[in-house]
Amino acid sequence: MRVKLPFGKSGDKSVDHESTAADRTEPTTASPATGKVSVSKGRPTPSRREAEGRRRGPVAPAPLTAKEARARRKATRGSKEERKIASAERRAKSADQRARMMAGEDKFLLPRDKGPVRAYARDLVDSRRNFVGLFMPMALILLVALFLSPAVQSIVTLALFIMMIFMAIDGYFLGRRVNNRVRDRFPETPDGGFKLGWYTFVRASQVRKMRAPKPRVGPGDAV
């Protein structure tokens, strides 16, 4: 029996101590399936980042001076010989990737060049001589004509304008021809139309030796 005393004190102190101790105990839950009692941890489960941070240990403090920062960079980047070896390895890897890309290996091609459809379209372009291939030489002639007399400039400009009309016509028929051949060879492919026609036009307008990937067939070869 608890007797309440003045000034808010309780007469049964043992009961108060027992209730306080009970409040400090961690909550327990009983599993209905196994009957086992599990005690709650009483704290939130640490996140994965916090756990990894504790495993890694303390983080090094930031450098206080520029000299200290330079010393840290020098220590982390290694010696001069190691940097030379790493640079040589990077150049060799880059050269190897470019060689494979120029050879037409699909893994190393740009996204626009990947796939059997684009490879077949390139072979169709490379197997014939295209009037569109005069685009680069014509651009150089026009650049030189800018430094000549006005009379020569007008003649060259008119000739180039006429040739560009023929180039546009040739590029149009080239795109149609490639699209028709692609539909016959790959009837299920979604690649075609204007995008494929423009792809073939751009490749045909490049000088043959500058095309990437390199041509696999020569002019006149059957594809």
Side-chain angles (χ1 to χ4, degrees):
M1 179 177 179
R2 177 182 296 183
V3 180
K4 186 152 181 114
L5 298 178
F7 308 107
K9 294 183 179 180
S10 175
D12 193 351
K13 295 183 179 180
S14 61
V15 176
D16 288 344
H17 287 302
E18 291 176 359
S19 61
T20 306
D23 291 340
R24 291 199 193 101
T25 58
E26 296 177 341
T28 60
T29 56
S31 174
T34 60
K36 294 181 178 180
V37 178
S38 60
V39 181
S40 175
K41 293 183 298 183
R43 63 182 183 279
T45 303
S47 63
R48 183 176 179 181
R49 180 178 298 178
E50 293 174 351
E52 291 179 352
R54 285 198 290 267
R55 286 198 298 267
R56 286 195 297 263
V59 180
L64 301 177
T65 62
K67 184 178 180 180
E68 186 179 352
R70 287 194 299 270
R72 286 193 184 183
R73 287 196 299 267
K74 187 176 181 180
T76 54
R77 66 183 180 181
S79 63
K80 188 175 181 180
E81 293 297 327
E82 292 175 346
R83 294 197 301 271
K84 284 185 177 180
I85 294 174
S87 179
E89 290 177 352
R90 286 194 299 269
R91 287 196 299 269
K93 184 178 180 180
S94 178
D96 179 65
Q97 290 179 350
R98 176 168 177 78
R100 295 190 176 191
M101 183 269 291
M102 295 298 290
E105 293 190 27
D106 199 71
K107 180 181 178 181
F108 299 93
L109 294 178
L110 297 175
R112 67 180 184 188
D113 299 322
K114 288 186 176 181
V117 174
R118 294 300 173 103
Y120 182 63
R122 291 194 298 271
D123 291 342
L124 292 175
V125 173
D126 299 333
S127 64
R128 65 190 294 266
R129 299 187 185 276
N130 306 284
F131 194 76
V132 185
L134 298 175
F135 177 78
M136 296 285 290
M138 286 174 56
L140 293 176
I141 293 174
L142 181 61
L143 183 63
V144 173
L146 295 176
F147 299 95
L148 302 177
S149 61
V152 177
Q153 289 182 17
S154 59
I155 296 173
V156 172
T157 303
L158 179 61
L160 292 177
F161 180 73
I162 296 173
M163 291 185 68
M164 289 182 65
I165 294 176
F166 282 103
M167 288 171 55
I169 296 172
D170 183 62
Y172 170 76
F173 284 105
L174 174 64
R176 286 193 57 181
R177 175 175 173 268
V178 172
N179 271 283
N180 292 334
R181 295 283 297 273
V182 165
R183 280 194 294 268
D184 293 338
R185 177 70 69 89
F186 306 95
E188 302 297 330
T189 182
D191 195 0
F194 176 79
K195 289 179 65 176
L196 185 61
W198 179 253
Y199 178 77
T200 57
F201 176 83
V202 172
R203 184 169 180 86
S205 64
Q206 297 171 343
V207 180
R208 187 178 184 86
K209 293 183 178 181
M210 298 177 61
R211 293 175 183 175
K214 291 182 178 179
R216 300 185 299 182
V217 297
D221 293 346
V223 178

